[in-house]
Amino acid sequence: MKFIFSHTRRLLKLLGFSIISLILLFFLLNWIFPLPDQIEYSTIITDNKGDVIHAFLTRDQQWRMKTELNEISPLLRKTIIAKEDKYFYYHPGVNPFSLGKAFLRNIFYGRRLSGASTITMQVARAMEPKRRTYWNKLVEIFRSIQLERKFSKDEILQLYLNLVPYGGNIEGVKSASLLYFKKGPDHLSLAEITALAIIPNRPSSLVIGKNNDKIVEERNKWLKKFSHEKLFTEKEIQDALSESLTASRGTVPNFVPHLAYKLKKQGGDIIKTNIELNTQMKIEKLVADHSKELRLKNIHNAAVMVIDNTTHKIIAYIGSSDFRDTIDAGQVNGAAAIRQPGSTLKPLLYGLCIDKGLLTPKRVITDVEVNYQGYAPENYDKKFNGYVTMEYALEHSLNIPAVKSLHALGKDNLIQKLSTCNFKQIRKDQIKLGLSMILGGCGTTLEEMTGLYSVFANEGNYIQPAYLQFEHPGIPKRIISPAATFMINEILSKINRPDFPLNWGSTVHMPRIAWKTGTSYGRRDAWSIGYNRHYTVGVWVGNFSATGVPELSGANVATPLLFKIFNTIDYDADEEWFRQPEDCGLRIVCSETGLPPGDYCNNRVTDYFIPMVSSAKKCDNMQEIMVSADEKISYCKTCMPENGYKKKIYKIISPEMQRYFEENGIAYQKIPVHNPACEKVFKEGAPLVISPSNGNEYLINKNKPEPLQLRCNTGNDVAKVYWYINNKFYKAADANSRQFFIPDEGPIKISCTDDKGRNRDIWIKVRYVNL
Ligand SMILES: [Zn+2]
Ligand SMILES: [Zn+2]
C-alpha cells in the first residue's frame, strides 16, 4: 500500500516536472523561433461603397487579398467550421483526440500522416509550407500553439480564410469570391461557399470554370452531409443543391489606375477611397471621347479631378485618357504632374486684393505698358486696354492688371496663401518666384488647383480634399473672406465673356457654374476649373511631351470637357447659388475709378464692397483747376493772379495714361501748361524713367551693338524733357517720345529733367559681350 502510494507520488512529481519543462521549453522556443506572421497581402483599392475597384499582385505574384472581419458572414463562418474543424472554438490549436486517432491509423495502415489538421494547423502550414513528415508535424503543432496564444479564434479563422489556396495564384476567400463570383465574400450563397470550400482539398483537379460538374457533385455530397447533421434548414439545403455553377475565372477590377498607383505608395493592405465608381466611369468615358477629338489637333492628354463640395471628398480622379495607351504615355498621372498654371491663379489674387482693401469689382486699374525691374508683361493679344475695372480684367484675364495687383499685394502674400492650400512646388520655389507667377510662371498640379478652387465653393475656406474614407477632414483654413469669395463667384459665373468656348451650343440646360480658364506659355497646358455648390471640377488638357499646339487654349479645349462633366454629374440639379454673405455690402461708386464719388463725379454705379475694409477714399478724379481766361495757362495757389482767371473742372489723367492716349491717338482734355512765371519749385512729380530700368545690367552685342531706349513718364503739364548721359547733355525731346542711344561700357548715370526743372537720376551697368 505504502509502496503504491509513494510510486504514484513519484509519478505525479515526474508528470508535474515534465509539464513545467514542456511549458518552459515552449517559451524558450517561442523566443528563439517567433511566429512568422508577417504576411504580404495584395494591395486592394475600394470605392466609397467598399467594393474592390483595383488590386495589385503580391511580390510573389499571388492574388492574396485580405478579408476583413466584417466580411466573414455568419454563413461563411458556419460552413467553413462545419467542413474543416467542428471543434475549432473548443480546442487549443490542436485537437488531441483526432491527432491521436490519426497517429494510430497511420501506424496500423502504414500510410503517411494525413488528416487531423485543425484550422489553426492549416494556418501554420500555409504560413510555412513544408513536406509532410513527423518532424514537420511537430513544428506545425508548435506553431499552432503560438498562433492560439497570439490571436483570437476569429482572427485565426480570418487568417485561414486569407491564406487558403484556391488554385492557380488565387489565395484566400476574398480573392476567390472576387475572381470567380465577382462579389465580396460576405455576399456568397451557401452553394458558392461550399463549392469554394472543397477546392483547397484538390486545387489542381477541381478548377472552377473547367471541372464545374465534378465540383457540383462533390459540393452536393457535402451539402447532404450538412443536411444529415441538421446544420441548415431543409429549404436552405434544397436551394443550394439546385443552384447551378456557371462561374469561371474572371479578372481583377482595374479602375482608377493612376490613383491606385499613387495611393499604393503610401502603403496598406486595403485602401478605402471616396471614389464614386459610377461617376468615375461616366467621366472616364467623357475624357476618352473628348481626347479622341483632340487627337486630330495633335493634343494627346487630359486629366480630371472632382471634389464633392459638401463632403470635401475626391469622388473622381482621371490621370490620363487611357492608362493602357503606351504611345501617348497613358501611365503618366496628369493630375499629379507639375505644370504651368497659366491664368488660373488670378481669381485668388483678386480675392486677396479685395480683402486688403485694394480692389472691389468696379475699381479701375490701368492696363498700359509697365516695367518692373526689366519685367514687362504683355496681354494675351499683345494689346493694352487703358482703363479697365477689376471685374473686366478678371473676365478677360488681362495680364497687366494682374501683375500690377500682385505688385501691390506683394507676392509673398499670395505664396503664403498657396502654401496653406498645400501647393508644394510653389512652397519649394518661394524665393525664386517673381511677379510672373501670376501669369503662370510657377509649377502647380491639377490636384492642387482643384483643391484651391474648392475654396471658392466653401466661403473662402480651404479644407484639404480627402482621397480616403475616414480621413480626418482637417480644420478649415481661412484663405479669403466670404465677401471676397462671393464677389469672385459673381464674376466667374457670368456667361457672356470672351473665354466662353466657341461652338458651344445653348446653356439653357446647364447647371450654373463659376469657372476660370488658363493657357500656359507656349500653349502647352490648357486649364478649366469650375465649381458650384455641389462640385469642384478641375480639367487639364495638353501633352505630356510638353509639345505646344497652336489650337490649345483653356477656353476651347478644356472648358468644353468641363461643361460636359457638369452636364453629366449635375444635370437638373437645384439651381441654388451662393448667397451674398453678411460681410458684403453694396455702395455707389464713381464709375471712372470705382471709389466713392467726389464732388464732381457724374457717372455712378453700384458696387460690392466690404465695410471697414474696402478703400473709402473719395474719388478725386475730377478737380477744379484755376486757368487763364483763354484757358492757355493754369495756376496754382502761389502763382494765381489777383483777377483774370477762372475755375474749370478737369479730369486728372496719370502720366502713364497720357502716354497711352498719345500712342493710341485718343484725344483727351489736357490741363493747360502751368504758369511759366510760377516761382514754386516742384519737389514732386519729377519724370519717371521707365527705360532703361534703374539698377539693371545691360549686355550689348560687341559685333552688332543695339541702342538702348530712353523713355519716361512725366506730369500732366510737361511738354519737353532733357536727357543727360553721365552728366553730359544728350538731347531735348518731347515728353512722351522714345529716344535711343548706344551706351559705352561700364556704369552709366542717366538723368532726365523736365521743362519745370524737376530732375531724376538713374544708374545702369553696361557690358559688351560676344552674343
Ligand atoms: Zn470720380
Ligand atoms: Zn504755380
Side-chain angles (χ1 to χ4, degrees):
M1 194 59 187
K2 201 183 168 195
F3 169 75
I4 293 171
F5 186 70
S6 70
H7 187 74
T8 313
R9 233 174 53 182
R10 217 181 304 150
L11 215 70
L12 278 173
K13 239 183 179 172
L14 191 70
L15 194 68
F17 180 73
S18 313
I19 288 170
I20 291 165
S21 312
L22 270 173
I23 291 171
L24 285 175
L25 181 67
F26 172 80
F27 280 109
L28 182 69
L29 289 173
N30 187 41
W31 181 66
I32 302 171
F33 305 104
L35 198 61
D37 58 354
Q38 291 303 312
I39 299 155
E40 189 207 346
Y41 290 106
S42 291
T43 300
I44 54 182
I45 313 283
T46 64
D47 68 1
N48 66 332
K49 293 189 197 122
D51 292 333
V52 177
I53 53 173
H54 202 104
F56 295 89
L57 282 165
T58 58
R59 262 169 294 175
D60 56 349
Q61 302 299 304
Q62 301 294 308
W63 290 115
R64 188 187 300 124
M65 301 180 193
K66 191 171 181 179
T67 314
E68 290 181 273
L69 279 172
N70 63 6
E71 287 179 299
I72 303 171
S73 65
L75 180 68
L76 177 61
R77 178 186 298 130
K78 187 173 167 186
T79 317
I80 293 297
I81 287 172
K83 182 178 172 296
E84 294 297 327
D85 186 358
K86 271 179 235 165
Y87 303 103
F88 175 63
Y89 283 102
Y90 308 103
H91 63 62
V94 285
N95 184 338
F97 298 104
S98 54
L99 204 64
K101 224 162 73 184
F103 181 69
L104 290 176
R105 212 183 320 144
N106 279 303
I107 286 176
F108 284 120
Y109 299 100
R111 281 202 225 123
R112 307 203 62 184
L113 204 64
S114 71
S117 279
T118 61
I119 283 177
T120 319
M121 286 164 79
Q122 292 188 53
V123 171
R125 199 184 310 143
M127 279 178 168
E128 292 176 295
K130 283 191 173 72
R131 278 182 52 223
R132 294 190 178 188
T133 63
Y134 283 107
W135 171 251
N136 286 341
K137 200 78 187 172
L138 279 175
V139 174
E140 220 173 277
I141 291 168
F142 167 67
R143 289 299 190 201
S144 301
I145 297 165
Q146 279 184 311
L147 278 165
E148 293 278 344
R149 264 178 44 79
K150 187 160 181 184
F151 298 106
S152 72
K153 285 285 182 188
D154 282 346
E155 285 168 336
I156 292 169
L157 181 66
Q158 184 188 19
L159 277 171
Y160 170 79
L161 289 171
N162 286 341
L163 298 176
V164 64
Y166 286 103
N169 62 347
I170 303 176
E171 276 184 32
V173 71
K174 181 148 177 167
S175 308
S177 61
L178 202 68
L179 277 153
Y180 292 128
F181 298 111
K182 298 183 176 57
K183 54 182 159 186
D186 45 340
H187 291 105
L188 293 172
S189 69
L190 174 59
E192 287 163 344
I193 294 172
T194 315
L196 279 182
I198 56 179
I199 292 170
N201 302 349
R202 281 183 284 155
S204 50
S205 63
L206 297 176
V207 178
I208 294 187
K210 275 191 198 154
N211 320 102
N212 284 10
D213 289 346
K214 225 159 103 191
I215 294 170
V216 168
E217 200 180 295
E218 199 71 11
R219 175 194 82 183
N220 290 356
K221 268 190 220 162
W222 275 98
L223 287 169
K224 280 170 193 156
K225 205 167 164 234
F226 292 157
S227 160
H228 190 70
E229 291 168 6
K230 304 242 180 302
L231 278 168
F232 301 97
T233 66
E234 206 41 44
K235 167 127 194 357
E236 284 170 325
I237 296 288
Q238 285 311 318
D239 285 352
L241 283 169
S242 60
E243 200 176 300
S244 60
L245 180 67
T246 54
S248 62
R249 182 172 173 155
T251 50
V252 171
N254 56 358
F255 302 106
V256 289
H258 297 95
L259 183 63
Y261 277 94
K262 175 190 164 84
L263 296 177
K264 183 175 185 267
K265 283 187 211 143
Q266 301 172 7
D269 299 326
I270 305 174
I271 298 170
K272 298 177 179 184
T273 72
N274 291 319
I275 293 294
E276 287 177 8
L277 192 59
N278 198 16
T279 309
Q280 169 80 20
M281 284 166 75
K282 279 184 199 164
I283 299 176
E284 272 179 22
K285 172 91 171 55
L286 290 176
V287 174
D289 291 349
H290 189 71
S291 296
K292 228 175 266 165
E293 288 170 34
L294 291 180
R295 211 151 284 160
L296 304 171
K297 295 178 180 165
N298 204 21
I299 301 167
H300 298 268
N301 305 106
V304 171
M305 186 165 121
V306 181
I307 299 170
D308 182 321
N309 289 335
T310 40
T311 60
H312 318 292
K313 290 175 175 176
I314 294 161
I315 60 162
Y317 187 102
I318 290 122
S320 80
S321 48
D322 183 5
F323 188 79
R324 283 161 290 271
D325 180 354
T326 47
I327 299 164
D328 289 326
Q331 292 82 1
V332 173
N333 183 355
I338 294 166
R339 317 287 311 190
Q340 288 200 338
S343 295
T344 48
L345 294 175
K346 285 175 185 168
L348 174 65
L349 165 70
Y350 288 123
L352 294 173
C353 287
I354 292 170
D355 279 341
K356 275 260 161 165
L358 298 169
L359 292 174
T360 55
K362 295 279 195 288
R363 255 317 262 285
V364 170
I365 313 171
T366 50
D367 178 23
V368 294
E369 200 173 342
V370 283
N371 192 314
Y372 293 106
Q373 307 283 327
Y375 175 56
E378 282 183 325
N379 282 325
Y380 200 65
D381 58 3
K382 308 237 173 350
K383 286 183 188 141
F384 303 106
N385 298 275
Y387 294 121
V388 293
T389 60
M390 182 221 107
E391 64 182 3
Y392 183 94
L394 178 54
E395 272 167 36
H396 290 71
S397 205
L398 299 178
N399 288 341
I400 291 157
V403 172
K404 275 187 167 176
S405 301
L406 182 59
H407 184 70
L409 177 77
K411 74 171 170 72
D412 290 340
N413 284 317
L414 179 68
I415 291 171
Q416 187 241 317
K417 294 289 183 180
L418 289 168
S419 299
T420 308
C421 296
N422 281 330
F423 278 68
K424 299 211 171 69
Q425 190 65 33
I426 284 182
R427 193 185 295 153
K428 215 190 280 174
D429 294 342
Q430 205 166 138
I431 298 159
K432 290 191 263 179
L433 294 175
L435 292 175
S436 70
M437 70 175 292
I438 198 59
L439 309 183
C442 54
T444 60
T445 66
L446 180 68
E447 295 170 356
E448 293 166 347
M449 290 304 312
T450 314
L452 171 65
Y453 273 67
S454 71
V455 165
F456 296 106
N458 286 297
E459 296 186 318
N461 289 312
Y462 178 75
I463 299 157
Q464 192 176 338
Y467 288 101
L468 304 180
Q469 285 181 33
F470 318 116
E471 199 174 319
H472 190 269
I475 315 142
K477 291 174 192 154
R478 164 77 50 216
I479 304 297
I480 45 179
S481 69
T485 307
F486 175 75
M487 293 181 214
I488 299 295
N489 292 351
E490 288 296 294
I491 298 167
L492 293 184
S493 58
K494 283 185 190 162
I495 299 288
N496 195 1
R497 56 197 249 195
D499 66 345
F500 198 83
L502 291 169
N503 309 323
W504 183 266
S506 148
T507 53
V508 177
H509 293 294
M510 244 183 74
R512 185 174 180 191
I513 62 166
W515 83 100
K516 178 79 189 83
T517 57
T519 310
S520 70
Y521 293 124
R523 294 178 178 262
R524 294 194 177 94
D525 307 270
W527 302 81
S528 193
I529 308 162
Y531 56 92
N532 62 11
R533 291 178 71 93
H534 304 132
Y535 301 105
T536 303
V537 179
V539 172
W540 171 86
V541 175
N543 286 318
F544 291 150
S545 62
T547 313
V549 178
E551 284 98 333
L552 191 126
S553 78
N556 289 326
V557 304
T559 304
L561 181 55
L562 177 81
F563 284 8
K564 284 180 212 166
I565 292 169
F566 266 103
N567 271 348
T568 304
I569 63 175
D570 210 25
Y571 187 77
D572 262 355
D574 64 81
E575 277 286 290
E576 205 189 343
W577 191 243
F578 304 101
R579 272 191 293 267
Q580 186 176 335
E582 276 173 16
D583 63 337
C584 179
L586 267 174
R587 67 178 179 184
I588 304 283
V589 295
C590 168
S591 70
E592 288 175 22
T593 55
L595 288 168
D599 297 340
Y600 308 111
C601 299
N602 295 320
N603 303 312
R604 297 163 185 224
V605 286
T606 46
D607 189 17
Y608 293 116
F609 80 118
I610 311 177
M612 314 299 287
V613 172
S614 303
S615 175
K617 199 184 126 210
K618 266 196 177 177
C619 175
D620 58 358
N621 198 32
M622 306 297 274
Q623 283 178 21
E624 199 179 52
I625 309 269
M626 288 165 285
V627 292
S628 56
D630 60 0
E631 295 179 18
K632 290 250 164 73
I633 289 174
S634 61
Y635 304 109
C636 65
K637 272 177 188 155
T638 42
C639 69
M640 61 190 257
E642 279 188 17
N643 44 42
Y645 70 90
K646 62 178 185 181
K647 287 176 176 174
K648 198 176 167 186
I649 308 292
Y650 285 90
K651 187 169 174 174
I652 307 300
I653 296 168
S654 64
E656 55 170 21
M657 276 310 291
Q658 285 180 46
R659 169 185 300 282
Y660 171 77
F661 287 147
E662 304 266 342
E663 286 181 350
N664 290 278
I666 300 167
Y668 65 99
Q669 191 188 29
K670 284 184 198 173
I671 298 169
V673 173
H674 197 78
N675 180 13
C678 179
E679 299 280 302
K680 187 174 176 187
V681 179
F682 290 85
K683 288 271 186 258
E684 284 169 18
L688 191 68
V689 178
I690 54 174
S691 172
S693 192
N694 191 15
N696 268 20
E697 183 177 66
Y698 289 85
L699 301 180
I700 306 272
N701 190 348
K702 238 181 221 172
N703 309 314
K704 198 179 161 232
E706 295 272 347
L708 286 183
Q709 196 187 125
L710 294 172
R711 282 179 72 194
C712 64
N713 281 338
T714 61
N716 207 347
D717 48 356
V718 173
K720 279 225 174 309
V721 293
Y722 306 90
W723 292 98
Y724 298 81
I725 313 280
N726 288 333
N727 300 324
K728 253 176 71 189
F729 176 71
Y730 176 64
K731 210 173 211 178
D734 287 340
N736 287 320
S737 69
R738 297 158 195 253
Q739 303 301 323
F740 296 90
F741 80 110
I742 296 181
D744 294 330
E745 186 150 344
I748 294 179
K749 177 184 174 192
I750 296 169
S751 315
C752 181
T753 309
D754 69 12
D755 52 15
K756 303 286 173 302
R758 295 172 292 203
N759 179 69
R760 174 97 56 193
D761 298 329
I762 66 155
W763 287 265
I764 61 167
K765 220 186 234 171
V766 171
R767 211 144 53 83
Y768 275 72
V769 289
N770 280 312
L771 286 174

